[in-house]
Amino acid sequence: MLNMVEVSQGKHTMHRRVAKIKPAVNKEILLFLAGFMWFGVGTMLLWMSFLWLKAFQIHGSVFFCAVGIVVAMIVHHLGFLKIVDKNLGRILPMEGTRCIFSFITWKSYIIVAVMIAMGTLLRHSPIPKPYLSILYIGIGLALVLSSVRYLRVLMSQIKKDK
């Protein structure tokens, strides 16, 4: 029969093995990954909306873009900046290395999965693409604008560490 010391030593050995294979990075890498992800997804959404508007050759594309930009400013200022600030408040105090996937919380991974599913459903819905482009421009541009804060904080962290 195993005693508590042997069980404790076994858990400690297992923890060290897991720690060796865990992809750990410093907070500067986490800031870069967060900013890069927001920028990349935003750029993808903007590109999709551009292609939709180009494919339909709508003369009112300027209108759809203008409405999308207004939506982006609202989403950026009233929504995404709060999320960025919350993430920065979590990442910046981190010391040492953390798991590479901790640039967002586990709850945020669920939200991302739901957003991907909703985007897929919207793209395959009967909603005309020019109207859908307003939403994609709004969210895409808001993501790109919000990513700037991550990258600005990253640059200040790099300067501070020198």
Side-chain angles (χ1 to χ4, degrees):
M1 182 170 237
L2 293 174
N3 65 29
M4 292 305 290
V5 173
E6 290 171 334
V7 170
S8 177
Q9 288 174 345
K11 286 182 179 179
H12 185 67
T13 303
M14 178 65 118
H15 180 69
R16 282 195 318 236
R17 288 181 184 159
V18 170
K20 282 183 180 181
I21 61 170
K22 182 172 82 172
V25 296
N26 63 24
K27 66 182 166 188
E28 287 80 9
I29 299 296
L30 295 177
L31 291 169
F32 172 77
L33 288 173
F36 183 74
M37 184 186 85
W38 283 53
F39 183 82
V41 171
T43 302
M44 178 194 71
L45 294 175
L46 289 170
W47 182 251
M48 289 174 72
S49 63
F50 168 76
L51 293 176
W52 290 338
L53 292 175
K54 182 181 172 192
F56 281 93
Q57 300 176 352
I58 296 174
H59 299 295
S61 292
V62 172
F63 170 77
F64 290 105
C65 289
V67 174
I69 290 170
V70 170
V71 170
M73 294 301 135
I74 294 168
V75 171
H76 170 64
H77 287 289
L78 299 180
F80 287 174
L81 283 182
K82 292 177 184 177
I83 295 170
V84 170
D85 288 342
K86 188 175 175 182
N87 282 338
L88 289 172
R90 186 180 52 78
I91 293 172
L92 289 175
M94 291 180 178
E95 297 293 329
T97 59
R98 295 291 176 116
C99 179
I100 194 167
F101 301 109
S102 66
F103 66 91
I104 60 175
T105 64
W106 289 110
K107 179 182 168 186
S108 296
Y109 279 105
I110 294 168
I111 293 169
V112 167
V114 169
M115 290 178 73
I116 290 170
M118 287 175 53
T120 302
L121 288 173
L122 284 172
R123 281 194 307 276
H124 294 90
S125 74
I127 299 171
K129 297 297 190 250
Y131 293 102
L132 198 53
S133 71
I134 293 170
L135 178 64
Y136 273 59
I137 290 169
I139 294 173
L141 184 57
L143 284 167
V144 169
L145 293 172
S146 299
S147 74
V148 172
R149 184 164 291 182
Y150 282 113
L151 301 175
R152 207 174 62 224
V153 170
L154 171 62
M155 296 308 293
S156 69
Q157 284 292 309
I158 290 171
K159 287 179 184 177
K160 187 173 107 177
D161 290 343
K162 283 187 178 182

